[in-house]
Amino acid sequence: MKLNGKQLLICDCEGTIDLPQKELEKLFDGDEVVVNTHLCRSQIGNFTVAVEKGDPLIVACTQEAPLFVEMGAEANEETSISYTNIRERAGWSEEGDQALPKIRALIEEATLQAPLAASVSMASAGRVVIFGTDEKTLEIAKQLSSRLDVTCLIKDTSDILPARLMDVPVFAGTIKSATGHLGAFEVTVDDYAPVQVSSRGVFATGSKNKDVKMSFDLIFDIAGGEALFPAAEKRDGYFHLEAGNPAAIQRALFDLVDLVGEFEKPRYVKLEANICVHARSSQIGCTRCLDVCPTGAIIPAQDEVAIDPYICAGCGSCSAVCPTGAVSYQLPAGNFIFERLKLLLDAYGQAGGKAPVLLIHDTGYGEDMIAAMSHGGGHSGRGLPANVLPFAVNEITQVGFDFFATALAFGAAGINVLIGPKNIGESDGLDGQIDLIQSVTTGLGYGDNRVVKLDHQDPDALATTLYDGATLEPMAVGDFAPMGNKRSLVNLALNHLHDHAPNAVDLLSLAAGAPFGVIDVKTDDCTLCLSCVAACPTGALKDNPDSPEFTFTETACVQCGLCRTICPESVITLNPRFNFTGEARTAIVVKKETPFECVKCGQPFGIKSSIDQMVEKLRGHSMFEGDALERVKMCPDCRVADQFDDPDTPMAVGERPEIRTTSDYLKERENLREEAEQHKKEHGLEDGEES
């Protein structure tokens, strides 16, 4: 049978998955469904025949994907084949007999083709520095010398016996700092010196130097101190290990020797600098992405931030916390994750599934835990509940408030986020996003258990938690399309949740730091200098070119705080909240005043209250006696003109001489010529005669 233009091959894995023929055909709208029992072995011919036809193909099995890839290449290498796991994720469960709606949803999800992410290239020639403290450093360097271009750097060589054969360069020194990435590391070394060739009892060195710069493609650090980089395990080409763990060292060396050549790395995130709200006019606003990046790949860059794609490890925390969508996750690109989410939930609902609960997990630890729950192997083997839909992502920390709100609006009754050991200590951004969505669900009456973080490392404990939390009240399914930018998608989702909420409040208070809210202005102390308007990066604050006033649009505000920081009168405070009324989408006048008209020309040039206040404060001052005080009431042009016209001021220049042009000089010369001709006629003089 075909689904969304793709041929489907389904297998019950030797009868271990409950796939009743009639119910399956009903599930797939009456199409004939052929259920294989041993597709990867005795029925492999069914697979090759389907591949030979050349139509895009979905195989509902991932365990034997390597075999299918090999056989498919032999049968027809042009055929596009995708795989989905309905065994561990659906069929192998104590509720496997209720899993048909989930199976339909998982197969439907597999029909989508994820867009490819852009990539960056890195090249390594195998130049590696082995940095350590004792003779093990030299032993490792010698072990690698036949495969890589090795430099041995030892903190203290005074107790190390010189080798009989110096087949690797040995130096004394301590790496003080390091920058870069695979293929482009630069280290700064203190107490640097080469060992002397005449060393006899122990390695001797000459004079030592400080701040020596050295370049390498790889760094193997067994010195035992602090790592040279934050989140060291995420820095490509850098290995930080304990010298006392020989098994780990040998595993790392096995990986190290393969890091020679050219490598492609995904460009995990994209930055749209024009909507970044990090800073304006050297004033700092939003620092959310800087605060959560574990690798230091994000740095300030004038009014926005800069992201180094070579250092970025793809955790996606920056994208999750970015309030405007200036930083967006690109694996996969665009809104694909929301399209996939909607298709999965819609297909589940259309197949008769009720109250779906999402299990967000990564493709490593998460899939291993799902497999362990379904296989048993000394455990209960309960598998996933029938209404728990697994949703794999590249990194758990890439999902945030926008994903949670949209998933709930698309009908997910609950969301479980499964983190693994590698996320420990790096989930602050995720925690903040979960707290934010829980504020919304609690405030609207949906409860505080709609989005939950799970950190179980025992499959039985995870299964128990999922079964205990799988019964949640259904959510109303939104029919909006997952389109538009991050901000507009969030507004669509939240408005849908509000429209169907048990407690549909108009104003929902949020915690400090939330990317929604209003500003409170002490209008009595505001001078309408409009510094806040100039600083606002989202257009939430706008002025009126025809009148002294400014307005505020709440839906555009991301609570970056730039207006508060830059206000010279310190009259602005932030008030995080979500406003569900139509007023939030309207430009509300915050302050408006009457313009002051120039007393000389009548042109409006300022604010009446400010000019009046200024005049009163300057009245009686020696520098503003007489006409000088009146100039304060004049527009800039009239004020300058009045100063130069006043004969009693040092700047007076008197009457300005009339400007003469070339035509004036020519006309004057012509008049003189005419006067001379007239004079000759009156006195009867010939040419050349003088009177």
Side-chain angles (χ1 to χ4, degrees):
M1 63 160 290
K2 281 192 174 184
L3 185 65
N4 295 341
K6 294 188 175 183
Q7 185 73 22
L8 173 63
L9 288 179
I10 193 168
C11 179
D12 65 11
C13 199
E14 298 184 304
T16 58
I17 304 175
D18 188 12
L19 297 175
Q21 184 81 29
K22 291 184 178 180
E23 292 186 30
L24 265 183
E25 292 180 352
K26 182 180 179 181
L27 187 71
F28 288 99
D29 304 323
D31 292 342
E32 181 182 359
V33 179
V34 176
V35 179
N36 295 276
T37 295
H38 214 189
L39 184 65
C40 60
R41 295 295 185 269
S42 61
Q43 294 176 308
I44 191 70
N46 294 344
F47 170 77
T48 56
V49 168
V51 173
E52 287 171 353
K53 292 180 179 178
D55 295 332
L57 188 64
I58 298 174
V59 179
C61 174
T62 54
Q63 175 179 287
E64 298 298 324
L67 171 66
F68 290 132
V69 169
E70 180 182 350
M71 298 295 292
E74 293 178 3
N76 186 351
E77 61 182 10
E78 300 298 325
T79 300
S80 172
I81 308 174
S82 55
Y83 302 88
T84 186
N85 178 4
I86 65 169
R87 190 178 70 174
E88 284 84 357
R89 297 196 295 170
W92 281 9
S93 164
E94 68 178 39
E95 294 183 353
D97 58 341
Q98 306 168 41
L100 286 183
K102 185 203 292 193
I103 289 173
R104 169 64 192 259
L106 294 175
I107 293 173
E108 192 93 37
E109 178 192 20
T111 64
L112 292 177
Q113 186 69 36
L116 295 176
S119 63
V120 294
S121 297
M122 298 183 290
S124 167
R127 298 172 302 132
V128 59
V129 57
I130 312 298
F131 176 47
T133 59
D134 54 26
E135 64 276 357
K136 291 180 182 177
T137 313
L138 184 56
E139 293 173 6
I140 292 172
K142 285 179 170 291
Q143 182 179 342
L144 290 174
S145 61
S146 63
R147 302 286 300 274
L148 301 174
D149 181 1
V150 179
T151 297
C152 183
L153 184 65
I154 305 174
K155 277 188 175 182
D156 184 4
T157 61
S158 60
D159 293 330
I160 300 178
L161 184 68
R164 176 183 62 83
L165 181 64
M166 290 293 290
D167 50 354
V168 295
V170 181
F171 300 89
T174 300
I175 297 180
K176 181 173 70 173
S177 63
T179 59
H181 52 85
L182 172 65
F185 286 111
E186 184 176 276
V187 299
T188 302
V189 182
D190 275 350
D191 300 326
Y192 173 81
V195 299
Q196 294 179 341
V197 295
S198 59
S199 299
R200 187 174 180 182
V202 294
F203 275 128
T205 62
S207 60
K208 296 183 177 181
N209 301 299
K210 291 188 175 297
D211 293 330
V212 176
K213 305 291 185 183
M214 304 178 72
S215 297
F216 298 99
D217 298 315
L218 304 159
I219 301 175
F220 199 84
D221 180 1
I222 56 169
E226 291 287 333
L228 298 173
F229 301 99
E233 69 283 356
K234 298 179 182 293
R235 186 65 59 110
D236 295 322
Y238 176 67
F239 296 81
H240 183 244
L241 302 114
E242 293 294 331
N245 191 342
I249 288 176
Q250 290 305 313
R251 285 195 300 269
L253 292 177
F254 185 81
D255 295 332
L256 181 72
V257 296
D258 286 335
L259 294 178
V260 179
E262 293 189 4
F263 302 90
E264 292 293 318
K265 177 181 179 178
R267 188 181 288 270
Y268 292 105
V269 295
K270 180 176 72 173
L271 173 66
E272 294 183 56
N274 60 312
I275 58 174
C276 176
V277 296
H278 169 60
R280 290 297 183 274
S281 303
S282 300
Q283 299 296 315
I284 303 300
C286 176
T287 61
R288 292 176 174 93
C289 62
L290 293 164
D291 296 337
V292 300
C293 179
T295 63
I298 307 178
I299 58 173
Q302 296 183 348
D303 283 349
E304 62 277 341
V305 297
I307 303 177
D308 189 335
Y310 296 96
I311 297 177
C312 173
C315 71
S317 295
C318 54
S319 172
V321 302
C322 180
T324 64
V327 182
S328 58
Y329 204 70
Q330 296 295 300
L331 198 66
N335 278 352
F336 178 79
I337 191 171
F338 296 105
E339 296 169 6
R340 177 182 154 216
L341 173 67
K342 182 170 176 56
L343 180 63
L344 178 73
L345 292 172
D346 284 351
Y348 179 78
Q350 291 165 7
K354 305 294 184 182
V357 175
L358 290 176
L359 175 62
I360 313 298
H361 63 89
D362 62 20
T363 56
Y365 177 80
E367 292 192 352
D368 289 341
M369 286 292 283
I370 291 172
M373 282 192 295
S374 62
H375 280 259
H379 299 281
S380 62
R382 299 180 72 184
L384 293 176
N387 70 325
V388 172
L389 306 182
F391 193 87
V393 293
N394 186 57
E395 289 285 353
I396 284 297
T397 44
Q398 78 182 72
V399 296
F401 178 81
D402 56 329
F403 181 87
F404 300 141
T406 305
L408 294 174
F410 282 160
I415 303 170
N416 293 302
V417 184
L418 177 62
I419 67 170
K422 72 173 184 177
N423 303 120
I424 295 175
E426 296 181 2
S427 61
D428 288 349
L430 176 64
D431 293 341
Q433 298 298 294
I434 292 177
D435 290 343
L436 182 57
I437 191 63
Q438 284 182 338
S439 297
V440 173
T441 57
T442 302
L444 294 178
Y446 290 111
D448 60 359
N449 60 342
R450 294 288 180 168
V451 181
V452 180
K453 185 179 77 171
L454 305 177
D455 58 359
H456 298 295
Q457 298 185 30
D458 177 14
D460 277 348
L462 177 59
T464 299
T465 300
L466 292 176
Y467 277 91
D468 290 346
T471 54
L472 292 168
E473 288 296 318
M475 300 285 284
V477 180
D479 59 357
F480 59 92
M483 300 175 63
N485 59 33
K486 181 175 186 175
R487 198 75 179 178
S488 62
L489 187 57
V490 165
N491 284 327
L492 285 172
L494 290 182
N495 286 320
H496 169 81
L497 293 175
H498 175 264
D499 291 343
H500 299 85
N503 179 32
V505 296
D506 288 339
L507 297 177
L508 185 63
S509 295
L510 300 174
F516 309 96
V518 68
I519 62 170
D520 295 328
V521 182
K522 296 179 182 178
T523 53
D524 291 343
D525 298 327
C526 174
T527 61
L528 272 175
C529 68
L530 301 182
S531 297
C532 56
V533 173
C536 182
T538 64
L541 288 168
K542 290 186 177 180
D543 64 343
N544 185 343
D546 300 321
S547 177
E549 68 177 42
F550 72 97
T551 61
F552 175 76
T553 305
E554 188 166 346
T555 53
C557 179
V558 297
Q559 299 280 286
C560 66
L562 278 168
C563 56
R564 177 186 58 186
T565 301
I566 210 165
C567 177
E569 283 82 28
S570 300
V571 298
I572 298 177
T573 55
L574 304 181
N575 181 7
R577 70 181 192 184
F578 199 88
N579 186 350
F580 292 100
T581 69
E583 183 182 83
R585 298 182 289 276
T586 305
I588 305 298
V589 175
V590 179
K591 183 168 184 179
K592 179 177 182 178
E593 289 208 19
T594 304
F596 188 88
E597 296 179 353
C598 174
V599 296
K600 193 169 185 178
C601 70
Q603 181 73 22
F605 73 96
I607 302 167
K608 189 176 186 305
S609 63
S610 297
I611 301 297
D612 290 344
Q613 186 180 25
M614 194 182 306
V615 169
E616 288 304 314
K617 286 186 176 182
L618 296 176
R619 192 181 303 279
H621 195 283
S622 58
M623 293 182 62
F624 291 91
E625 294 178 350
D627 294 339
L629 189 60
E630 284 298 300
R631 293 193 189 104
V632 177
K633 305 176 185 178
M634 298 179 189
C635 68
D637 291 341
C638 292
R639 190 178 305 135
V640 172
D642 189 72
Q643 285 177 323
F644 280 94
D645 290 342
D646 187 349
D648 295 330
T649 65
M651 292 183 289
V653 295
E655 292 189 9
R656 296 176 179 83
E658 185 178 352
I659 298 174
R660 295 173 61 83
T661 65
T662 301
S663 61
D664 294 328
Y665 287 105
L666 294 175
K667 185 176 181 180
E668 184 178 275
R669 187 171 64 182
E670 184 63 28
N671 290 339
L672 290 173
R673 184 180 295 110
E674 290 177 356
E675 289 176 2
E677 292 294 331
Q678 183 65 29
H679 179 75
K680 289 179 182 180
K681 290 180 180 179
E682 291 176 354
H683 294 83
L685 299 175
E686 299 291 337
D687 290 342
E689 290 184 347
E690 296 182 0
S691 59

